[in-house]
Amino acid sequence: MEQAPPDPEKLLQPGPLEPLGGPGAVLEAVVGEENEGTREDGSGVDTMTGNNFWLKKIEISVSEAEKRTGRNAVNMQETYTAYLIETRSVEHADGQSVLTDSLWRRYSEFELLRNYLLVYYPHVVVPPLPEKRAEFVWHKLSADNMDPDFVERRRVGLENFLLRVASHPVLCRDKIFYSFLTQEGNWKETVNETGFQLKADSRLKALNATFRVRNPDKRFTELRHYSDELQSVISHLLRVRARVADRLYGVYKVHGNYGRVFSEWSAIEKEMGDGLQSAGHHMDVYASSIDDILEDEEHYADQLKEYLFYAEALRAVCRKHELMQYDLETAAQDLAAKKQQCEELATGTVRTFSLKGMTTKLFGQETPEQREARIKVLEEQINEGEQQLKSKNLEGREFVKNAWADIERFKEQKNRDLKEALISYAVMQISMCKKGIQVWTNAKECFSKM
């Protein structure tokens, strides 16, 4: 809902916005666009690819995970997992699909890439990385981050992260992201040369802005509350799912006792023996099927976890808006104070207590020349302050417009993904129940033949 246009010294308000659309499964990333120039940040480092370069349609995959041992920054031996990233063109000049690039990355390098994206694209809901250590696990699932099953799920999550970034209308055109896929050597140095660490806002500054901003944008305030509630709801859902998985595992495994008992019983029966033995076999199959079922369930749990982590990405956008709003309000207050000081000097009246006013009373009035010189300095500062305020206001409006457009894009993506995940989960539960019915139907037929 659009609000009335504000005074430049008040709220940052966006204009009418259009959603930008969501990501697909295959990267169709345009690295640079015909009608847009390259972007340079204040450090002079060009972070967007040039106009005349287009990234062909390519498929991105994280195809392998490999356990390695090496030395860290303090020369201590460590064990870590490396992931093989492959990029393959969909169509080549001769019509064949050809492998274009293949390189290994550590999880920490994925983290570095995302931290860079957070700093350079503060208006974007940057896709989250999969968890570094397992959370919301049921008791039979290992919480070890080197466990093969966990590493495999994280491999899938890292691939999903790359596809999210690659299909984002803004992030896909970033040079650092492109080099992440194609430049194995000295990539970290290339990222650090952008100086993104120096541009990162401190958490203390962000916290200060949260409590001191006077005119927060209602929509961003509501978005922050929504992200908190979304995180809480999904956390509870994952805990419930973990408890259900624990109990379901126990119920299925207990059915294995039916198989053992029927098998023992069949040994002492002549006419009933074959039927009992067959029924016991069906019970054993039923008991062992839970392992594959819960393994499939982890896939849906990981989809929910992605949006659990997306909640923090939403809050990051809200924090950046609060910082910009706070800077704008501070600049407006400083400008108002200088205008008042200039007016007091020009009229010779003091409306508020100041140390300068007390000094004047104690040691006498300034000479006209001194007062004129001070007024001139203040007028220059006021003119500069007005330009800064105008610049901050325009920058803030542009941020809100771009941020809300990306938030609308994210909402469409979220609704689509979660709807699909929940429907698929329900279908899987229905299938599981049908298999249980089939097992008991088979057992009934075995009993009928006795």
PDB file of all heavy atoms in Angstrom, residues 302-320:
ATOM      1  N   ASP A 302      15.008 -30.221   4.816  1.00  0.00           N
ATOM      2  CA  ASP A 302      16.017 -29.270   4.343  1.00  0.00           C
ATOM      3  C   ASP A 302      15.374 -28.124   3.567  1.00  0.00           C
ATOM      4  O   ASP A 302      15.858 -26.984   3.615  1.00  0.00           O
ATOM      5  CB  ASP A 302      17.050 -29.984   3.466  1.00  0.00           C
ATOM      6  CG  ASP A 302      17.974 -30.886   4.267  1.00  0.00           C
ATOM      7  OD1 ASP A 302      18.086 -30.659   5.490  1.00  0.00           O
ATOM      8  OD2 ASP A 302      18.561 -31.810   3.689  1.00  0.00           O
ATOM      9  N   GLN A 303      14.279 -28.401   2.849  1.00  0.00           N
ATOM     10  CA  GLN A 303      13.574 -27.326   2.156  1.00  0.00           C
ATOM     11  C   GLN A 303      12.975 -26.328   3.147  1.00  0.00           C
ATOM     12  O   GLN A 303      12.994 -25.116   2.919  1.00  0.00           O
ATOM     13  CB  GLN A 303      12.468 -27.917   1.269  1.00  0.00           C
ATOM     14  CG  GLN A 303      13.000 -28.636   0.037  1.00  0.00           C
ATOM     15  CD  GLN A 303      11.873 -29.176  -0.828  1.00  0.00           C
ATOM     16  OE1 GLN A 303      10.987 -29.871  -0.330  1.00  0.00           O
ATOM     17  NE2 GLN A 303      11.901 -28.874  -2.106  1.00  0.00           N
ATOM     18  N   LEU A 304      12.454 -26.841   4.247  1.00  0.00           N
ATOM     19  CA  LEU A 304      11.927 -25.957   5.285  1.00  0.00           C
ATOM     20  C   LEU A 304      13.051 -25.179   5.951  1.00  0.00           C
ATOM     21  O   LEU A 304      12.901 -23.990   6.269  1.00  0.00           O
ATOM     22  CB  LEU A 304      11.163 -26.777   6.330  1.00  0.00           C
ATOM     23  CG  LEU A 304       9.822 -27.373   5.889  1.00  0.00           C
ATOM     24  CD1 LEU A 304       9.239 -28.237   7.001  1.00  0.00           C
ATOM     25  CD2 LEU A 304       8.840 -26.274   5.510  1.00  0.00           C
ATOM     26  N   LYS A 305      14.182 -25.841   6.167  1.00  0.00           N
ATOM     27  CA  LYS A 305      15.315 -25.163   6.804  1.00  0.00           C
ATOM     28  C   LYS A 305      15.814 -24.000   5.955  1.00  0.00           C
ATOM     29  O   LYS A 305      16.271 -22.983   6.489  1.00  0.00           O
ATOM     30  CB  LYS A 305      16.466 -26.154   7.044  1.00  0.00           C
ATOM     31  CG  LYS A 305      16.204 -27.132   8.176  1.00  0.00           C
ATOM     32  CD  LYS A 305      17.365 -28.091   8.330  1.00  0.00           C
ATOM     33  CE  LYS A 305      17.087 -29.117   9.420  1.00  0.00           C
ATOM     34  NZ  LYS A 305      18.206 -30.075   9.577  1.00  0.00           N
ATOM     35  N   GLU A 306      15.739 -24.132   4.631  1.00  0.00           N
ATOM     36  CA  GLU A 306      16.171 -23.033   3.766  1.00  0.00           C
ATOM     37  C   GLU A 306      15.387 -21.767   4.087  1.00  0.00           C
ATOM     38  O   GLU A 306      15.958 -20.674   4.187  1.00  0.00           O
ATOM     39  CB  GLU A 306      15.993 -23.410   2.296  1.00  0.00           C
ATOM     40  CG  GLU A 306      16.457 -22.295   1.355  1.00  0.00           C
ATOM     41  CD  GLU A 306      16.173 -22.580  -0.100  1.00  0.00           C
ATOM     42  OE1 GLU A 306      15.308 -23.440  -0.391  1.00  0.00           O
ATOM     43  OE2 GLU A 306      16.790 -21.926  -0.966  1.00  0.00           O
ATOM     44  N   TYR A 307      14.091 -21.914   4.288  1.00  0.00           N
ATOM     45  CA  TYR A 307      13.274 -20.725   4.592  1.00  0.00           C
ATOM     46  C   TYR A 307      13.387 -20.317   6.051  1.00  0.00           C
ATOM     47  O   TYR A 307      13.106 -19.166   6.405  1.00  0.00           O
ATOM     48  CB  TYR A 307      11.826 -20.964   4.163  1.00  0.00           C
ATOM     49  CG  TYR A 307      11.700 -20.779   2.665  1.00  0.00           C
ATOM     50  CD1 TYR A 307      11.828 -21.856   1.802  1.00  0.00           C
ATOM     51  CD2 TYR A 307      11.558 -19.512   2.119  1.00  0.00           C
ATOM     52  CE1 TYR A 307      11.789 -21.678   0.429  1.00  0.00           C
ATOM     53  CE2 TYR A 307      11.518 -19.324   0.751  1.00  0.00           C
ATOM     54  CZ  TYR A 307      11.630 -20.408  -0.091  1.00  0.00           C
ATOM     55  OH  TYR A 307      11.608 -20.208  -1.446  1.00  0.00           O
ATOM     56  N   LEU A 308      13.807 -21.234   6.898  1.00  0.00           N
ATOM     57  CA  LEU A 308      14.173 -20.849   8.264  1.00  0.00           C
ATOM     58  C   LEU A 308      15.335 -19.865   8.218  1.00  0.00           C
ATOM     59  O   LEU A 308      15.345 -18.850   8.925  1.00  0.00           O
ATOM     60  CB  LEU A 308      14.564 -22.097   9.047  1.00  0.00           C
ATOM     61  CG  LEU A 308      15.037 -21.890  10.492  1.00  0.00           C
ATOM     62  CD1 LEU A 308      13.861 -21.516  11.381  1.00  0.00           C
ATOM     63  CD2 LEU A 308      15.713 -23.152  11.028  1.00  0.00           C
ATOM     64  N   PHE A 309      16.327 -20.142   7.356  1.00  0.00           N
ATOM     65  CA  PHE A 309      17.495 -19.269   7.228  1.00  0.00           C
ATOM     66  C   PHE A 309      17.192 -18.034   6.376  1.00  0.00           C
ATOM     67  O   PHE A 309      17.845 -16.996   6.519  1.00  0.00           O
ATOM     68  CB  PHE A 309      18.668 -20.057   6.639  1.00  0.00           C
ATOM     69  CG  PHE A 309      19.015 -21.293   7.420  1.00  0.00           C
ATOM     70  CD1 PHE A 309      19.382 -22.473   6.780  1.00  0.00           C
ATOM     71  CD2 PHE A 309      18.955 -21.292   8.799  1.00  0.00           C
ATOM     72  CE1 PHE A 309      19.687 -23.619   7.498  1.00  0.00           C
ATOM     73  CE2 PHE A 309      19.263 -22.434   9.536  1.00  0.00           C
ATOM     74  CZ  PHE A 309      19.629 -23.596   8.883  1.00  0.00           C
ATOM     75  N   TYR A 310      16.208 -18.127   5.498  1.00  0.00           N
ATOM     76  CA  TYR A 310      15.786 -16.967   4.716  1.00  0.00           C
ATOM     77  C   TYR A 310      15.251 -15.857   5.629  1.00  0.00           C
ATOM     78  O   TYR A 310      15.306 -14.671   5.290  1.00  0.00           O
ATOM     79  CB  TYR A 310      14.700 -17.355   3.717  1.00  0.00           C
ATOM     80  CG  TYR A 310      15.163 -17.447   2.280  1.00  0.00           C
ATOM     81  CD1 TYR A 310      14.976 -18.616   1.543  1.00  0.00           C
ATOM     82  CD2 TYR A 310      15.757 -16.368   1.641  1.00  0.00           C
ATOM     83  CE1 TYR A 310      15.390 -18.707   0.220  1.00  0.00           C
ATOM     84  CE2 TYR A 310      16.174 -16.454   0.322  1.00  0.00           C
ATOM     85  CZ  TYR A 310      15.983 -17.626  -0.383  1.00  0.00           C
ATOM     86  OH  TYR A 310      16.400 -17.706  -1.693  1.00  0.00           O
ATOM     87  N   ALA A 311      14.713 -16.245   6.785  1.00  0.00           N
ATOM     88  CA  ALA A 311      14.174 -15.251   7.720  1.00  0.00           C
ATOM     89  C   ALA A 311      15.256 -14.258   8.140  1.00  0.00           C
ATOM     90  O   ALA A 311      15.015 -13.050   8.252  1.00  0.00           O
ATOM     91  CB  ALA A 311      13.590 -15.952   8.949  1.00  0.00           C
ATOM     92  N   GLU A 312      16.473 -14.749   8.341  1.00  0.00           N
ATOM     93  CA  GLU A 312      17.577 -13.849   8.697  1.00  0.00           C
ATOM     94  C   GLU A 312      17.957 -12.955   7.530  1.00  0.00           C
ATOM     95  O   GLU A 312      18.340 -11.796   7.720  1.00  0.00           O
ATOM     96  CB  GLU A 312      18.782 -14.676   9.156  1.00  0.00           C
ATOM     97  CG  GLU A 312      20.040 -13.865   9.450  1.00  0.00           C
ATOM     98  CD  GLU A 312      19.836 -12.780  10.502  1.00  0.00           C
ATOM     99  OE1 GLU A 312      18.968 -12.960  11.384  1.00  0.00           O
ATOM    100  OE2 GLU A 312      20.543 -11.751  10.434  1.00  0.00           O
ATOM    101  N   ALA A 313      17.842 -13.457   6.297  1.00  0.00           N
ATOM    102  CA  ALA A 313      18.123 -12.634   5.119  1.00  0.00           C
ATOM    103  C   ALA A 313      17.132 -11.481   5.018  1.00  0.00           C
ATOM    104  O   ALA A 313      17.494 -10.361   4.634  1.00  0.00           O
ATOM    105  CB  ALA A 313      18.075 -13.496   3.853  1.00  0.00           C
ATOM    106  N   LEU A 314      15.871 -11.737   5.362  1.00  0.00           N
ATOM    107  CA  LEU A 314      14.872 -10.662   5.388  1.00  0.00           C
ATOM    108  C   LEU A 314      15.225  -9.621   6.447  1.00  0.00           C
ATOM    109  O   LEU A 314      15.124  -8.412   6.203  1.00  0.00           O
ATOM    110  CB  LEU A 314      13.491 -11.245   5.685  1.00  0.00           C
ATOM    111  CG  LEU A 314      12.804 -12.017   4.558  1.00  0.00           C
ATOM    112  CD1 LEU A 314      11.520 -12.659   5.072  1.00  0.00           C
ATOM    113  CD2 LEU A 314      12.494 -11.104   3.379  1.00  0.00           C
ATOM    114  N   ARG A 315      15.644 -10.088   7.609  1.00  0.00           N
ATOM    115  CA  ARG A 315      16.008  -9.144   8.679  1.00  0.00           C
ATOM    116  C   ARG A 315      17.217  -8.300   8.288  1.00  0.00           C
ATOM    117  O   ARG A 315      17.332  -7.134   8.696  1.00  0.00           O
ATOM    118  CB  ARG A 315      16.272  -9.896   9.982  1.00  0.00           C
ATOM    119  CG  ARG A 315      15.019 -10.379  10.673  1.00  0.00           C
ATOM    120  CD  ARG A 315      15.293 -10.778  12.112  1.00  0.00           C
ATOM    121  NE  ARG A 315      16.114 -11.969  12.184  1.00  0.00           N
ATOM    122  CZ  ARG A 315      15.632 -13.200  12.232  1.00  0.00           C
ATOM    123  NH1 ARG A 315      14.326 -13.412  12.197  1.00  0.00           N
ATOM    124  NH2 ARG A 315      16.432 -14.241  12.318  1.00  0.00           N
ATOM    125  N   ALA A 316      18.135  -8.867   7.506  1.00  0.00           N
ATOM    126  CA  ALA A 316      19.308  -8.101   7.064  1.00  0.00           C
ATOM    127  C   ALA A 316      18.890  -6.914   6.208  1.00  0.00           C
ATOM    128  O   ALA A 316      19.449  -5.817   6.330  1.00  0.00           O
ATOM    129  CB  ALA A 316      20.262  -9.012   6.286  1.00  0.00           C
ATOM    130  N   VAL A 317      17.891  -7.110   5.346  1.00  0.00           N
ATOM    131  CA  VAL A 317      17.385  -6.008   4.528  1.00  0.00           C
ATOM    132  C   VAL A 317      16.736  -4.957   5.424  1.00  0.00           C
ATOM    133  O   VAL A 317      16.937  -3.746   5.235  1.00  0.00           O
ATOM    134  CB  VAL A 317      16.378  -6.530   3.486  1.00  0.00           C
ATOM    135  CG1 VAL A 317      15.763  -5.363   2.702  1.00  0.00           C
ATOM    136  CG2 VAL A 317      17.055  -7.496   2.526  1.00  0.00           C
ATOM    137  N   CYS A 318      15.978  -5.403   6.419  1.00  0.00           N
ATOM    138  CA  CYS A 318      15.333  -4.465   7.350  1.00  0.00           C
ATOM    139  C   CYS A 318      16.362  -3.658   8.135  1.00  0.00           C
ATOM    140  O   CYS A 318      16.198  -2.454   8.343  1.00  0.00           O
ATOM    141  CB  CYS A 318      14.416  -5.232   8.312  1.00  0.00           C
ATOM    142  SG  CYS A 318      12.999  -6.011   7.527  1.00  0.00           S
ATOM    143  N   ARG A 319      17.430  -4.324   8.571  1.00  0.00           N
ATOM    144  CA  ARG A 319      18.469  -3.611   9.332  1.00  0.00           C
ATOM    145  C   ARG A 319      19.137  -2.539   8.477  1.00  0.00           C
ATOM    146  O   ARG A 319      19.434  -1.438   8.965  1.00  0.00           O
ATOM    147  CB  ARG A 319      19.517  -4.607   9.850  1.00  0.00           C
ATOM    148  CG  ARG A 319      19.056  -5.443  11.028  1.00  0.00           C
ATOM    149  CD  ARG A 319      20.238  -6.122  11.709  1.00  0.00           C
ATOM    150  NE  ARG A 319      20.931  -7.036  10.817  1.00  0.00           N
ATOM    151  CZ  ARG A 319      20.634  -8.328  10.715  1.00  0.00           C
ATOM    152  NH1 ARG A 319      19.657  -8.846  11.439  1.00  0.00           N
ATOM    153  NH2 ARG A 319      21.314  -9.113   9.899  1.00  0.00           N
ATOM    154  N   LYS A 320      19.407  -2.869   7.211  1.00  0.00           N
ATOM    155  CA  LYS A 320      20.029  -1.882   6.333  1.00  0.00           C
ATOM    156  C   LYS A 320      19.112  -0.686   6.137  1.00  0.00           C
ATOM    157  O   LYS A 320      19.573   0.473   6.136  1.00  0.00           O
ATOM    158  CB  LYS A 320      20.355  -2.517   4.978  1.00  0.00           C
ATOM    159  CG  LYS A 320      21.087  -1.579   4.026  1.00  0.00           C
ATOM    160  CD  LYS A 320      22.421  -1.141   4.585  1.00  0.00           C
ATOM    161  CE  LYS A 320      23.148  -0.210   3.629  1.00  0.00           C
ATOM    162  NZ  LYS A 320      24.459   0.225   4.155  1.00  0.00           N
TER     163      LYS A 320
END
